[in-house]
Amino acid sequence: MNDSMRELLNRVAAGDLDSLTPEQVAALEAHLNSSPSDAARLGAVVPRVDPLVTAISAPVQTAWEPVWTAISGRRGHGRQWPRRLLLWPGFAAAAAIAMIMTLWRLPARTGPDWTFQPAYDAEVTQVEVFGESTSMLYAVGDRGLPVVWVIPGEGA
Amino acid sequence: MQTISRAGVGPWGLVIVAALGVAPAQGQESKLDVQVWAIRATQSNSEVSPELKPLVEQLKKQFKFTGYKVEKKAGGKGGINETVRADLIEAYQAEVVPVRVENGRVEVKITLFKDEKGKRKPILRTTACAERGKFMLAGGQPLSVGDTLIVAVAAR
């Protein structure tokens, strides 16, 4: 075995496989197929343990018991709200709708918001005057705005 | 809360009940907003209230007055056959009774009174129908210093 092959075997035994080129892998494979002793010696190599890895022992049964107790004793996900609190959104919605409906019933415009629009199409169906007064029904302007006019009597 | 659940009325049921409780009953008309304006028509000046400018030229052609001033706006709310009372100017008062509301038109009965020596005397009573919010006119009642009262009535 030449020095280069011995070096490859040492590198494999040390776990340094990533540095091998495909040609070196092929040569090493061919050598191991032809040298049962080197193949047996390489197969007996125990992988070196990373010194940074710490062995963790599995939990014993007594350590699991509190875990199962906590899981079975849970009441569900998150905090359970009292049922009466769940009804508050409904009450709030009812109050909001009631307020909206009440405002809807109010007249949209009152008082100063009135604009003067003559009733050109007014229909006067009855006129009654008192005392000695008389009445007239005028059609004012081009559009004939009806205006009831009271003419006081002589004594007024 | 358990009782409510068994009755089948949840929070949204209360919302519906609240909405029905404040919604107007089918076919019921809400109170009308009634306006009664007292207009002083005069020959002593040419003052015209801004609200009346669109109409004043037509009034001048029909009547002898040069000035038209809205001296008071009064009103209130009243349902069908409910009386809306309005104090006008110089001891004049008006009563407006909505008689009917149909197809966007309002029929009202208007009574004009004058307080003479502590007694309220009717001057004019007329029934007229006009489009909601449009002003019907009645005039001719004497005011002080030779002026004349014109009453404008609208309901919506």
Side-chain angles (χ1 to χ4, degrees):
Chain A
M1 180 170 52
N2 54 30
D3 291 337
S4 62
M5 185 55 64
R6 183 173 291 106
E7 181 190 353
L8 288 178
L9 287 171
N10 291 337
R11 286 164 64 184
V12 171
D16 185 16
L17 300 175
D18 294 335
S19 63
L20 298 180
T21 64
E23 294 77 15
Q24 289 173 336
V25 172
L28 181 61
E29 190 177 63
H31 172 74
L32 291 176
N33 287 334
S34 64
S35 173
S37 61
D38 285 339
R41 183 162 56 87
L42 197 59
V45 172
V46 176
R48 182 167 57 92
V49 178
D50 191 332
L52 294 179
V53 175
T54 303
I56 302 174
S57 61
V60 298
Q61 182 61 31
T62 55
W64 280 111
E65 289 176 358
V67 175
W68 300 126
T69 302
I71 292 174
S72 63
R74 287 182 67 185
R75 298 174 62 188
H77 292 290
R79 181 178 176 181
Q80 292 288 324
W81 293 99
R83 182 172 174 80
R84 60 181 178 274
L85 292 180
L86 294 176
L87 294 177
W88 278 111
F91 288 126
I97 290 179
M99 182 176 68
I100 290 170
M101 299 297 286
T102 301
L103 292 174
W104 171 50
R105 296 186 69 185
L106 291 175
R109 294 165 292 176
T110 57
D113 206 18
W114 279 82
T115 56
F116 183 79
Q117 292 182 296
Y120 290 104
D121 60 347
E123 298 173 18
V124 179
T125 57
Q126 182 250 344
V127 178
E128 181 182 2
V129 291
F130 300 83
E132 300 178 356
S133 301
T134 57
S135 65
M136 296 282 291
L137 181 60
Y138 292 111
V140 176
D142 299 334
R143 299 178 63 179
L145 172 67
V147 177
V148 177
W149 203 261
V150 177
I151 303 173
E154 293 292 329
Chain B
M1 298 305 121
Q2 288 297 322
T3 302
I4 293 175
S5 296
R6 283 196 290 270
V9 178
W12 292 109
L14 294 175
V15 171
I16 295 172
V17 169
L20 292 175
V22 297
Q26 188 69 24
Q28 181 182 357
E29 185 68 37
S30 56
K31 288 186 182 294
L32 294 169
D33 188 7
V34 177
Q35 284 283 289
V36 184
W37 293 7
I39 302 168
R40 177 182 292 272
T42 184
Q43 296 182 76
S44 63
N45 59 55
S46 300
E47 181 181 349
V48 177
S49 294
E51 303 97 317
L52 303 178
K53 283 188 176 177
L55 183 65
V56 71
E57 294 305 318
Q58 302 175 57
L59 292 173
K60 286 181 177 179
K61 290 179 182 178
Q62 183 70 48
F63 306 109
K64 58 186 177 182
F65 311 106
T66 55
Y68 296 85
K69 181 182 178 183
V70 179
E71 286 208 348
K72 186 170 184 179
K73 298 178 180 178
K77 294 183 179 59
I80 299 300
N81 294 325
E82 294 181 2
T83 302
V84 176
R85 293 182 175 83
D87 290 329
L88 303 178
I89 56 177
E90 295 191 12
Y92 283 100
Q93 301 161 7
E95 287 184 356
V96 180
V97 179
V99 175
R100 184 173 55 201
V101 179
E102 190 175 317
N103 297 329
R105 294 176 67 84
V106 182
E107 184 176 4
V108 295
K109 182 186 294 182
I110 306 166
T111 307
L112 190 63
F113 298 90
K114 186 174 182 181
D115 191 358
E116 292 183 353
K117 301 177 182 179
K119 292 185 178 181
R120 196 173 73 150
K121 293 184 176 181
I123 303 295
L124 165 70
R125 180 173 291 128
T126 181
T127 302
C129 179
E131 192 177 330
R132 295 179 84 146
K134 301 290 180 65
F135 282 85
M136 297 166 274
L137 299 179
Q141 298 78 38
L143 294 174
S144 59
V145 297
D147 295 340
T148 299
L149 174 68
I150 298 176
V151 178
V153 176
R156 66 184 183 194

